[in-house]
Amino acid sequence: SAEHQHVRYNPLRDDWVLVSAHRVKRPWQGQLEKPPPEDVPRWDPKNPLCPGATRANGEVNPKYEGTFVFPNDFPALQPDAPEPDDSDHPLFRAAPARGVCKVMCFHPWSDLTLPLMSLPEIRAVIDAWAELTTELGASYPWVQIFENKGAMMGCSNPHPHCQVWASSFLPNEACLEDRTQRQHLSQHGVPMLLEYAEQEARRKERLVVENADWLVVVPYWATWPYQTLLLPRRHVCRLQDLSDSEKDSLASIMQRLLIKYDNLFEVSFPYSMGWHGAPTGPYLQEDCGHWQLHAHYYPPLLRSATVRKFMVGYEMLAQAQRDLTPEQAAERLRSLPEVHYK
């Protein structure tokens, strides 16, 4: 039964997670994190993400009132990098890597996070995401939108923002999901995550929130305690394929999920999240029907605002392991109020 240890298969990553439900009762004497600061100023001229502030490269931000996209001043990828030297041995391979890194501010105010923004403001973020995937995806095969929220996730700036990295190559996770989804479609005749969403909508035990177009589940194979997967109900490959009403209902379900996250431990909930959709650039000409658009949310918190899950030891050297079952996590999230604790 779910009360005893067992392993679960993750069909999207083709790997396994060890679920040790009986360990949830063990005492905690490990590291305690500091809760995030509550007194973030709404506007700070020294904060490089604020309207009118000066950035590291000397550029002054416009006095923006909605979303604001600009090139990352310290990009991990640049459009014109020299080719690496030819390898003299198969164990020492390198390949070219080019790309563009952008930063996107969600809102002019530093003290707002997505769950505290209005639906039209969240909808503007979604529109900007779709525009960026269209624009950068015209030439680049992969456009990764990701948000690191909170100091615990290495986010150095409290201002609400995300990053968008476009690359000339398909990154590891994209290659993996491309392979597993392609395999599933050829073996079962239906896109994996479309079938999965239908199953979870029916079973309900891992459901967190749902509406007419979307559902959020703690996936059956989740590795992080309160990890969630955001899925559309219809078959859709990329963010830019969403209809206006689907973007509205996406804003709503994101707000509901993120309010629940904040309410769980009554703290601005840290996470890393990101969108995965069908590859772009040259792949726009190919059939990518095996793909299904989805977003992953990976929060590190485990038992309280100050106790986090570390992926170390067994996880790094053997495989992912969790104590709280995905069903227990989903039940806790599902039962939380949808009005923000603030």
Side-chain angles (χ1 to χ4, degrees):
S1 87
E3 294 312 299
H4 301 286
Q5 65 207 37
H6 59 284
V7 290
R8 294 188 184 192
Y9 181 62
N10 179 343
L12 199 53
R13 298 196 76 258
D14 187 23
D15 63 10
W16 294 80
V17 55
L18 171 61
V19 182
S20 316
H22 58 286
R23 284 176 91 233
V24 121
K25 301 175 181 70
R26 72 193 172 123
W28 180 263
Q29 292 166 324
Q31 176 170 332
L32 297 178
E33 307 288 335
K34 284 191 182 67
E38 294 282 320
D39 53 347
V40 176
R42 181 154 289 183
W43 185 79
D44 176 2
K46 295 189 294 294
N47 184 332
L49 298 186
C50 280
T54 305
R55 300 207 308 275
N57 62 359
E59 281 191 33
V60 177
N61 293 338
K63 293 207 160 46
Y64 66 91
E65 292 179 355
T67 59
F68 169 53
V69 178
F70 62 94
N72 193 319
D73 296 327
F74 304 99
L77 290 161
Q78 292 174 313
D80 39 6
E83 301 270 326
D85 295 334
D86 282 339
S87 166
D88 60 354
H89 191 282
L91 290 177
F92 301 88
R93 280 164 64 192
R98 283 179 287 274
V100 174
C101 297
K102 292 185 181 283
V103 177
M104 180 183 139
C105 296
F106 295 156
H107 194 280
W109 295 355
S110 293
D111 58 341
L112 274 196
T113 54
L114 280 170
L116 296 171
M117 284 165 54
S118 70
L119 288 175
E121 289 167 340
I122 300 172
R123 169 65 203 263
V125 169
I126 293 163
D127 286 338
W129 283 343
E131 283 160 26
L132 278 167
T133 48
T134 306
E135 176 197 327
L136 296 169
S139 50
Y140 288 104
W142 191 253
V143 181
Q144 185 59 61
I145 295 168
F146 64 97
E147 180 195 3
N148 294 325
K149 178 169 175 272
M152 211 183 285
M153 293 313 290
C155 180
S156 54
N157 194 315
H159 194 97
H161 72 286
C162 71
Q163 298 191 52
V164 185
W165 293 10
S167 61
S168 60
F169 54 90
L170 280 193
N172 295 341
E173 294 294 312
C175 284
L176 194 50
E177 290 195 359
D178 187 68
R179 173 172 68 77
T180 57
Q181 289 179 100
R182 190 184 295 277
Q183 241 166 337
H184 188 94
L185 182 66
S186 73
Q187 284 169 4
H188 303 279
V190 57
M192 179 201 294
L193 292 178
L194 186 64
E195 183 174 11
Y196 180 65
E198 284 166 1
Q199 285 288 326
E200 289 289 39
R202 214 175 62 234
R203 295 167 187 251
K204 298 215 181 315
E205 60 190 320
R206 282 169 296 274
L207 203 59
V208 177
V209 280
E210 63 177 328
N211 62 25
D213 302 313
W214 301 89
L215 64 156
V216 175
V217 298
V218 176
Y220 176 77
W221 52 79
T223 57
W224 293 90
Y226 293 99
Q227 174 181 337
T228 53
L229 182 61
L230 169 56
L231 295 162
R233 290 184 190 268
R234 79 167 172 102
H235 186 206
V236 53
C237 290
R238 301 178 178 93
L239 271 170
Q240 54 267 48
D241 302 335
L242 295 173
S243 69
D244 272 347
S245 66
E246 284 169 329
K247 288 177 188 163
D248 281 340
S249 58
L250 174 56
S252 167
I253 206 159
M254 277 173 54
Q255 187 190 56
R256 290 169 63 200
L257 169 67
L258 297 179
I259 286 174
K260 280 184 181 285
Y261 268 164
D262 279 10
N263 284 346
L264 179 61
F265 299 130
E266 297 206 343
V267 67
S268 182
F269 205 67
Y271 58 75
S272 275
M273 72 78 68
W275 285 97
H276 283 166
T280 47
Y283 295 89
L284 292 169
Q285 313 311 318
E286 293 182 20
D287 179 10
C288 290
H290 54 294
W291 269 89
Q292 174 73 325
L293 177 70
H294 59 282
H296 295 282
Y297 285 83
Y298 297 122
L301 291 180
L302 175 60
R303 309 169 169 233
S304 71
T306 57
V307 176
R308 71 182 293 181
K309 158 86 174 168
F310 288 94
M311 288 287 185
V312 292
Y314 193 83
E315 284 92 354
M316 292 175 87
L317 294 154
Q319 71 180 32
Q321 182 271 334
R322 61 180 294 134
D323 296 345
L324 182 73
T325 67
E327 293 73 30
Q328 289 166 329
E331 189 178 7
R332 285 200 64 183
L333 290 171
R334 196 168 47 238
S335 63
L336 289 164
E338 294 191 9
V339 176
H340 200 276
Y341 72 94
K342 281 193 160 174

